[in-house]
Amino acid sequence: SSASLEKLTGRKAHNLGELVSLIKTCSDSSVFYHTFSAFLKLREAQVPYNSDFAVWVARSMNEMALAERLMAVDLSEYRTVGSLRDRLVDVIEHHLQEYPLCRKKIGNEPFYLHDVMRVVYLTDKFAYDLRSFRDTLARISIYSIYYHFFESRLDTQLESNEFSSRIKESLGMPELAERIRRLDISVFTLEALRSKIITLIDDNLKE
């Protein structure tokens, strides 16, 4: 599992042009924090946006069309933080080209850029086959699920979630691994994601 210490970078944006500059120049961990970690921070409150950038654009800038475009970015399609960063920049810059008056618009509140210090630690839970993995998955915390399904992507350059990688490589079950990898992360809470993975494993165990 992991624990994260959020920290302010001292950098902020007051408008969309400054937001683009922040996204272009911030660390990979900042981009990851403001996008993928929304599944941990925001899903608990059921906020209908999949990144902090979209939330700020909607709430502070009141640019709902841009917020929807940012929300439409499918995070699971990107294999590196750099490619995700480039896509976010393209979406915002395209909006600014389409609506140039937006450049002069100031947000109600600034966007504060965060970074994060991650501490990864070993729990007392382990699995040695698919059945024990299924039973362990039902008991671990949502923070463990978040680490293995989302946060580990930062270490593997977003290639896949760690559950799928281990099931494919260690258990030799590529079909099950692919079914889990293809789960639409934009429609599940962490608890719902746990339930869906368990269902896929149960179906596999019955075969």
Side-chain angles (χ1 to χ4, degrees), residues 129-195:
D129 59 16
L130 188 60
R131 172 67 68 179
S132 60
F133 172 69
R134 185 255 185 243
D135 294 340
T136 300
L137 183 61
R139 301 195 309 271
I140 60 176
S141 72
I142 61 169
Y143 301 101
S144 288
I145 293 172
Y146 172 73
Y147 171 74
H148 288 290
F149 207 86
F150 294 96
E151 201 172 26
S152 61
R153 292 169 182 252
L154 187 62
D155 300 322
T156 60
Q157 294 195 318
L158 311 185
E159 183 62 33
S160 181
N161 68 83
E162 196 167 25
F163 291 152
S164 291
S165 297
R166 293 298 180 91
I167 288 173
K168 178 181 178 180
E169 297 169 8
S170 298
L171 298 181
M173 299 178 176
E175 296 83 3
L176 175 60
E178 182 62 17
R179 291 190 195 109
I180 294 173
R181 191 191 69 79
R182 288 202 308 261
L183 288 175
D184 185 352
I185 59 178
S186 67
V187 300
F188 293 110
T189 64
L190 289 170
E191 284 295 350
L193 182 63
R194 182 208 308 268
S195 297

Side-chain angles (χ1 to χ4, degrees), residues 1-4 118-124 141 143-144 147-148:
S1 187
S2 72
S4 298
R118 302 162 57 232
V119 178
V120 180
Y121 60 91
L122 190 65
T123 70
D124 61 350
S141 72
Y143 301 101
S144 288
Y147 171 74
H148 288 290

Side-chain angles (χ1 to χ4, degrees), residues 83-99:
S83 62
L84 173 59
R85 182 202 305 270
D86 291 343
R87 177 57 179 158
L88 295 171
V89 168
D90 286 344
V91 169
I92 300 172
E93 289 185 336
H94 178 78
H95 184 81
L96 288 172
Q97 291 172 3
E98 190 173 358
Y99 304 100

Side-chain angles (χ1 to χ4, degrees), residues 12-207:
K12 57 187 175 181
H14 298 88
N15 55 49
L16 293 178
E18 292 179 357
L19 181 65
V20 169
S21 295
L22 284 184
I23 296 174
K24 284 181 176 180
T25 58
C26 69
S27 67
D28 283 356
S29 55
S30 282
V31 174
F32 191 93
Y33 171 84
H34 287 294
T35 52
F36 276 90
S37 66
F39 291 97
L40 182 62
K41 301 195 305 301
L42 300 181
R43 279 294 178 180
E44 295 169 350
Q46 297 294 295
V47 176
Y49 298 106
N50 64 353
S51 77
D52 293 337
F53 303 123
V55 171
W56 182 76
V57 166
R59 291 181 175 176
S60 187
M61 296 296 297
N62 197 31
E63 290 291 328
M64 305 309 295
L66 176 56
E68 291 176 2
R69 288 174 179 172
L70 290 170
M71 185 175 65
V73 174
D74 185 352
L75 302 183
S76 64
E77 291 183 356
Y78 296 90
R79 294 293 175 261
T80 66
V81 175
S83 62
L84 173 59
R85 182 202 305 270
D86 291 343
R87 177 57 179 158
L88 295 171
V89 168
D90 286 344
V91 169
I92 300 172
E93 289 185 336
H94 178 78
H95 184 81
L96 288 172
Q97 291 172 3
E98 190 173 358
Y99 304 100
L101 292 179
C102 288
R103 289 188 179 274
K104 299 180 180 180
K105 190 173 182 180
I106 303 298
N108 297 325
E109 295 181 354
F111 178 90
Y112 293 98
L113 184 73
H114 285 71
D115 209 330
V116 62
M117 294 179 59
R118 302 162 57 232
V119 178
V120 180
Y121 60 91
L122 190 65
T123 70
D124 61 350
K125 307 292 192 301
F126 66 93
Y128 48 86
D129 59 16
L130 188 60
R131 172 67 68 179
S132 60
F133 172 69
R134 185 255 185 243
D135 294 340
T136 300
L137 183 61
R139 301 195 309 271
I140 60 176
S141 72
I142 61 169
Y143 301 101
S144 288
I145 293 172
Y146 172 73
Y147 171 74
H148 288 290
F149 207 86
F150 294 96
E151 201 172 26
S152 61
R153 292 169 182 252
L154 187 62
D155 300 322
T156 60
Q157 294 195 318
L158 311 185
E159 183 62 33
S160 181
N161 68 83
E162 196 167 25
F163 291 152
S164 291
S165 297
R166 293 298 180 91
I167 288 173
K168 178 181 178 180
E169 297 169 8
S170 298
L171 298 181
M173 299 178 176
E175 296 83 3
L176 175 60
E178 182 62 17
R179 291 190 195 109
I180 294 173
R181 191 191 69 79
R182 288 202 308 261
L183 288 175
D184 185 352
I185 59 178
S186 67
V187 300
F188 293 110
T189 64
L190 289 170
E191 284 295 350
L193 182 63
R194 182 208 308 268
S195 297
K196 186 61 178 177
I197 296 173
I198 288 174
T199 297
L200 290 175
I201 293 173
D202 286 342
D203 290 344
N204 184 273
L205 290 171
K206 292 175 183 175
E207 295 176 359

